[in-house]
């Protein structure tokens, strides 16, 4: 993959997604095989022939054993895009970061950052360094179908609004009231993602703080006291690395 540096504002960044190899095990051998025998056919005939061949594959084929692959079950478009795609190339996290660097970009993190931390899977810290640790996590988990990453121009320092009073939290695919009610029961929060389960012990005192999250209030409004901030830190530790919460900056209107 060749990337060109995008046109970004001075404090801007870019988000992108690429396919990853491990969670798509079985896809690429089939793509290669279908391309070998069907590449001269028009798309409609490729699809019909590939589906006939697919039905004859042994149940032990890596593709059929991969429970995370479902696109081919969602109609002809999904089947074609998954198994007859002519320009599908997967990237490990290491290869993605190398491609970003070659394009003059620095890797700036991922929405689900906790998935790239191998600590929970190891007896001791690896001591390998940030990129090697992320690659280790990818290899050990074996479930990544994609990599979603943020990047910004090389050498540019962009301070995110983490821990700042004027930062505005936003929940993704979660209802603040429902999450608050769950936390009030004292059971913490369990997050399932990419085939892994993560449990976080969040104090019940954090429940009313989460209930105040509306995409408008800042951290200062949600957690005005030092005690509130300590409880909020537990919320942030669970929801931000899992990609279920992000911050924006509070915009101050000019007179």
């Amino acid at each position: 993959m060749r990337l060109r540096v995008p046109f970004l504002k001075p404090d801007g960044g870019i988000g992108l997604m690429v396919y990853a190899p491990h969670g798509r095990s079985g896809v690429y051998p089939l793509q290669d095989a279908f391309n070998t025998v069907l590449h001269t056919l028009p798309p409609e005939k490729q699809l019909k022939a590939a589906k006939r061949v697919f039905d004859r594959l042994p149940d032990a084929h890596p593709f059929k054993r991969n429970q995370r692959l479902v696109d081919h079950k969602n109609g002809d478009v999904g089947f074609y895009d998954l198994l007859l795609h002519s320009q599908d190339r997967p990237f490990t996290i290491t290869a993605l970061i190398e491609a970003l660097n070659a394009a003059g970009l620095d890797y700036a993190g991922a929405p689900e950052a906790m998935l790239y931390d191998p600590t929970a899977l190891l007896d001791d810290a690896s001591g390998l360094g940030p990129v090697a640790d992320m690659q280790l996590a990818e290899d050990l988990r074996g479930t990544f179908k994609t990599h979603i990453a943020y990047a910004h121009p090389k050498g540019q320092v962009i301070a995110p609004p983490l821990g700042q009073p004027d930062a505005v939290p936003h929940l993704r695919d979660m209802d603040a009231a429902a999450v608050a009610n769950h936390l009030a029961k004292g059971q913490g929060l369990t997050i399932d993602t990419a085939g892994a389960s993560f449990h976080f012990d969040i104090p019940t005192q954090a429940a009313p703080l989460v209930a105040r999250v509306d995409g408008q209030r800042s951290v200062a409004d949600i957690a005005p006291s030092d005690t509130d901030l300590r409880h909020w830190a537990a919320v942030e530790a669970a929801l931000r690395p899992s990609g279920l919460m992000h911050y924006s900056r509070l915009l101050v209107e000019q007179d």
Side-chain angles (χ1 to χ4, degrees):
M1 178 174 70
R2 297 182 62 184
L3 295 174
R4 294 184 178 181
V5 178
F7 292 99
L8 300 174
K9 292 182 179 180
D11 61 347
I14 183 173
L16 65 149
M17 183 278 284
V18 297
Y19 289 126
H22 301 341
R24 287 162 64 83
S25 62
V27 168
Y28 298 103
L30 286 182
Q31 283 188 4
D32 291 342
F34 288 151
N35 181 63
T36 297
V37 297
L38 304 176
H39 70 279
T40 61
L41 298 177
E44 296 82 0
K45 291 187 176 181
Q46 281 190 36
L47 178 62
K48 291 181 180 179
K51 293 179 78 170
R52 289 195 299 270
V53 174
F54 181 83
D55 288 339
R56 300 170 191 152
L57 296 178
D59 291 338
H61 191 285
F63 183 93
K64 289 199 169 181
R65 295 175 65 87
N66 190 341
Q67 299 179 1
R68 292 180 56 73
L69 298 173
V70 297
D71 295 21
H72 61 296
K73 299 178 181 179
N74 298 326
D76 289 349
V77 172
F79 187 101
Y80 194 99
D81 186 62
L82 183 64
L83 296 176
L84 293 168
H85 202 299
S86 61
Q87 298 184 23
D88 179 349
R89 177 187 166 186
F91 287 79
T92 64
I93 188 61
T94 300
L96 173 58
I97 291 174
E98 289 174 349
L100 291 173
N101 291 340
L105 298 168
D106 279 336
Y107 175 80
E112 295 183 298
M114 67 185 183
L115 292 176
Y116 293 90
D117 182 357
T119 305
L121 303 172
L122 301 173
D123 292 330
D124 301 296
S126 73
L128 296 175
V131 177
D133 265 356
M134 288 191 289
Q135 185 60 59
L136 183 59
E138 179 181 4
D139 293 341
L140 290 173
R141 295 195 184 284
T143 57
F144 289 39
K145 292 196 299 182
T146 63
H147 293 299
I148 300 175
Y150 302 129
H152 56 67
K154 211 172 228 330
Q156 192 172 92
V157 178
I158 303 175
L162 304 180
Q164 298 179 12
D166 62 350
V168 178
H170 305 260
L171 298 182
R172 190 195 80 185
D173 299 331
M174 301 178 75
D175 178 72
V179 176
N181 289 336
H182 178 81
L183 293 178
K185 298 176 183 178
Q187 300 173 351
L189 192 65
T190 299
I191 298 171
D192 297 316
T193 180
S197 182
F198 300 84
H199 181 77
F200 298 90
D201 292 319
I202 301 176
T204 57
Q205 295 90 332
L209 307 182
V210 173
R212 297 172 192 163
V213 176
D214 59 2
Q216 302 293 326
R217 292 185 176 97
S218 67
V219 171
D221 297 325
I222 293 170
S225 71
D226 290 342
T227 300
D228 288 337
L229 285 174
R230 286 196 296 272
H231 298 320
W232 179 254
V235 175
E236 180 183 280
L239 299 185
R240 193 182 62 79
S242 62
L244 295 176
M245 184 177 78
H246 69 273
Y247 287 111
S248 66
R249 298 182 187 279
L250 181 65
L251 297 179
V252 179
E253 295 184 2
Q254 302 292 329
D255 295 332

